[in-house]
Amino acid sequence: MPARDAAPSGAPCWIDLFSSDPDRAAEFYGRIFGWNAEQTPAEYGGYVNFTKNGVMIAGMMRNDGSAGQPDAWTTYLSTPDAKATTEAAAAAGGQVHLEPMQVMHLGSMGMVADPGGAAVGLWQPGEHKGYGLVGEAGTPVWHELHTRRYREVLDFYRTVFGWETSTMGDTDDFRYSQMVVDGTGYAGVMDGSAFLPEGVPSTWQVYIGVEDVDAALQLAGELGGTVLEPAEDTPYGRLAKIADPTGAAIKMSSLPA
């Protein structure tokens, strides 16, 4: 079982869902990914943790509409100092959506947007180190940013989060870099200027591993979800994208043989 104690600095470490119907979301993701929804104490504002085999995988908070934001998944990047990272993000051309706040003994969280407009969370670990399983069914297997401002955004993440990057392709058909630590990739950045539809913002994509992508797509439809991108074989596995019953999008990926 691929377990991990903590993510490297700058790497994705947590995901959570902003949902207008948490009960329905809990059923949806529980059925598709095998997650259990666990309510936290009242002082955490109704936050829900999703677990697999007793290990925390993701979180969820209620979208009551007051923020004016649609339901969506958020990727959080690990940082040793959320306040310093927030200040660096603002200085590097980003926007601050949420100033760092302490979450009891668990850690500190914040939210910024990169120069391309993609929102990304910050997590400074305390007792909560992030999701504890990776690379298997029902766990995060990849994180990927689709952006219209590829080079500027890469510079932003290098400057703000200390990324080292490796170029996978640099043509108009495929322009892509990975964030790497000691030769291991943790996240990708794709130039989406040629394929992002008008009005669709730059955004971080979360990939969850599944044993059978086609079966998961069928189940998602039966549970009230929508297929946004049908299953497709790629050099990186069989991939698909769905929206849950309230419209939050998430990707699915087959697992390595």
Side-chain angles (χ1 to χ4, degrees), residues 18-112:
F18 199 39
S19 178
S20 54
D21 193 341
D23 290 340
R24 193 174 185 190
E27 179 185 5
F28 182 83
Y29 292 105
R31 292 280 303 280
I32 293 177
F33 298 141
W35 293 350
N36 293 316
E38 300 181 0
Q39 190 73 44
T40 60
E43 57 264 34
Y44 292 97
Y47 199 81
V48 173
N49 286 317
F50 288 118
T51 64
K52 179 178 172 63
N53 299 327
V55 179
M56 287 203 294
I57 298 297
M60 175 171 62
M61 65 182 74
R62 178 181 293 276
N63 179 4
D64 63 7
S66 61
Q69 299 295 320
D71 290 1
W73 281 93
T74 297
T75 291
Y76 290 78
L77 304 183
S78 181
T79 172
D81 188 330
K83 184 176 186 300
T85 300
T86 301
E87 292 171 350
Q95 293 183 314
V96 179
H97 289 336
L98 177 67
E99 292 284 352
M101 57 182 289
Q102 186 74 28
V103 185
M104 307 294 182
H105 55 282
L106 300 179
S108 296
M109 68 168 291
M111 185 82 64
V112 301

Side-chain angles (χ1 to χ4, degrees), residues 4 7-13 77-79 142-145 150 154 157-158 161-168 176-190 204:
R4 72 174 189 183
S9 180
C13 63
L77 304 183
S78 181
T79 172
W142 193 242
H143 302 262
E144 188 173 85
L145 172 61
Y150 174 80
L154 274 179
Y157 286 97
R158 292 183 188 115
F161 292 96
W163 279 16
E164 293 186 11
T165 58
S166 173
T167 300
M168 308 296 291
Y176 195 99
S177 290
Q178 287 188 355
M179 177 265 190
V180 296
V181 178
D182 296 331
T184 298
Y186 286 87
V189 178
M190 178 179 284
W204 276 90

Side-chain angles (χ1 to χ4, degrees), residues 204-216:
W204 276 90
Q205 316 272 320
V206 177
Y207 290 74
I208 303 296
V210 293
E211 296 284 358
D212 187 327
V213 172
D214 297 273

Side-chain angles (χ1 to χ4, degrees), residues 232-255:
E232 177 184 13
D233 289 321
T234 77
Y236 308 102
R238 191 159 177 81
L239 308 176
K241 185 176 182 179
I242 59 173
D244 69 21
T246 66
I250 196 163
K251 289 205 168 189
M252 300 187 296
S253 171
S254 60
L255 301 169

